[in-house]
Amino acid sequence: MAGMNRVVMHIDMDSFFAQIEERENPEIAGKPVIICVFSGRGEGIGAVSTSNYHARNQGIKAGMPCGRAKKLSPEGIYLPSRKDFYKEVSDQIMEIINRYGDAFEQVSIDEAYLEVTHGGGKDIGKAENLAIELKEEIKNRTSLNSSVGIGPNKLIAKMASAHKKPDGLCIVRPNEVNDFLGPMPVKKLYGVGKKTAGILQEDGIETIRDLRERDPLWLIEKLGKARGKKLFDYARGIDPSPVISREKEQFGRMMSFPEDTDDSEIIIFHILELGEDIISKIREKGYQFRTVTFTGITPDYISHTKSLTLDHPVSEKIDFFEVSEKLIMNYLSKKPEKLRRGGITVSNFSRPERQSSLIDY
Ligand code: DCP
Ligand code: CA
């Protein structure tokens, strides 16, 4: 692949959780919308997860205590985060995105990279049409806006998607990379956090262009070898990292029950059926597992999970069935409420040592 021109796309949903809530509650459109996560320690002690652009214009930022947000925007609409619901929307979006590239790498609940080098025919014009189509399909099927960046690598694609938010499409051709990066404040460079930005600014580095003019040895001395080298490359728009689909660290399946139910027999029946499939996959891979997690989701999308970890790794269906049944009974005795959806996840994998069987003797 050396020397080949790549075309990489980065897709990032706009104010994701807030946009979903706006879609679900049309009457709040046009108002500041703030999504809060409550710690569970005390009522009302929460932090801002995200907010829509109206709220951001009032100075509200992710991570801020909700109390402070309320002072900045007393008229704002404050909603509790419904992570499992957002995850479902995310799964739907990722499935759409996945079909548009040669390789697909999801990096967070609302962001993914696509390698479109072949699909786009190494041609940025074709990639642009692909991005327009992709944005439209997401919009038509979910009513949500996304922003897309296209560039010769992941670094540039990621910075491009942020550049024209919201509902943006930003294309940076290889010969435009230096002009695209140059005037940006150094803190906007991927990999430069607050601390690094502070160190650089102390030495008069304000823009990415300023950073580019520094000697690599100076950067290594200031930031350490790994980071110094990386930022030397990033400042020049160099990033050879491939788009790769991640290895799964857990296998899980979710389903909607035929109707909302708190009947343990029905729930166990469906979950064990889901489990059949998971266990076959795990056995195919030659894995053993120690942990099983049950997730129950109520009709209003509140989710609870319960896990059980065994002392020894196992791989038999019967072990899985036993653990799952125990988990579900236990769950329902603590939370006797109807469930709309349920899921089961198996994790904590190991590979067994080759065991001598009787046949070896
Ligand atoms: N998120 C969170 N806490 C954070 C950051 C993010 O809970 N500190 C959640 C809420 C976001 C989602 O992850 O909606 C995606 O994060 P982004 O950083 O992509 O932020 P947004 O999608 O909300 O906004 P933007 O339009 O800037 O991408
Ligand atoms: Ca986003």
Side-chain angles (χ1 to χ4, degrees), residues 10-20 35-37 47-53 56 61-64 81 83 86 108-111 145 147 158 161-162 165-167:
H10 179 258
I11 300 95
D12 182 5
M13 301 304 294
D14 303 325
S15 54
F16 189 47
F17 297 178
Q19 214 195 148
I20 295 173
I35 310 298
C36 294
V37 177
V48 173
S49 158
T50 191
S51 65
N52 68 1
Y53 286 74
R56 289 183 203 190
K61 291 196 167 78
M64 180 181 274
S81 172
K83 195 84 185 277
Y86 310 146
S108 78
I109 192 162
D110 79 331
E111 278 175 62
N145 285 326
S147 292
K158 164 111 181 150
S161 75
K165 244 172 196 303
D167 197 17

Side-chain angles (χ1 to χ4, degrees), residues 79-105:
L79 300 170
S81 172
R82 297 191 282 170
K83 195 84 185 277
D84 291 290
F85 177 45
Y86 310 146
K87 177 71 173 48
E88 272 188 34
V89 180
S90 163
D91 288 348
Q92 192 190 358
I93 292 167
M94 293 302 157
E95 196 203 298
I96 298 171
I97 297 174
N98 190 7
R99 287 190 279 99
Y100 278 76
D102 310 327
F104 161 79
E105 180 178 350

